[in-house]
Amino acid sequence: QVDLVESGGGSVQDGGSLQLSCAASGSIFSINGMGWYRQAPGKQRELVAIINSSGYTRYADSVKGRFTISRDNAKNTVYLQMNSLESEDTAVYYCNADVRVMGRNFHLPYWGKGTHVTVSS
């Protein structure tokens, strides 16, 4: 089985910064894409940023230039550096990873439980 554990959420004022981390653990053979999604109250979950195993990244338009996604393949960890935070960034942030577990020959998506980010003006 695979566990994704997020950390780094919290409360910050407008214009502040936070860094989220997500570590994958378990019987992992390989990980393709890793990413961050978020869900604000009353809204659907949306993509924030994704990164593949080669380092290719993609961002939601709303966070381009403010957020940076990165990963440490040796640690099976993905990070999200969030700068210039705005109240609209308030949400629960979820980590996602496409993982191939030992003994299988395909990847499946796994999700973390989420971490809260609150930005106040």
Side-chain angles (χ1 to χ4, degrees):
Q1 193 51 275
V2 175
D3 290 315
L4 299 184
V5 179
E6 301 107 333
S7 61
S11 297
V12 66
Q13 290 192 324
D14 250 0
S17 298
L18 284 173
Q19 185 182 59
L20 306 182
S21 300
C22 171
S25 63
S27 301
I28 297 171
F29 181 83
S30 66
I31 301 178
N32 280 347
M34 301 184 82
W36 291 95
Y37 293 71
R38 67 186 182 187
Q39 187 166 17
K43 294 188 177 181
Q44 289 190 329
R45 190 175 297 189
E46 63 175 2
L47 170 72
V48 176
I50 54 174
I51 183 169
N52 70 8
S53 56
S54 300
Y56 170 81
T57 60
R58 183 159 64 94
Y59 296 90
D61 287 343
S62 59
V63 307
K64 281 180 183 175
R66 301 188 298 121
F67 291 10
T68 302
I69 189 170
S70 60
R71 66 189 279 177
D72 184 332
N73 291 330
K75 295 181 179 179
N76 291 332
T77 298
V78 63
Y79 306 94
L80 186 68
Q81 177 65 43
M82 305 185 293
N83 297 329
S84 302
L85 282 161
E86 305 166 351
S87 56
E88 291 78 12
D89 297 316
T90 295
V92 179
Y93 284 69
Y94 296 91
C95 173
N96 169 270
D98 287 327
V99 180
R100 177 181 169 184
V101 300
M102 301 287 190
R104 300 285 176 90
N105 60 0
F106 52 85
H107 289 77
L108 287 175
Y110 289 85
W111 292 89
K113 290 183 170 59
T115 185
H116 289 262
V117 171
T118 302
V119 184
S120 56
S121 55

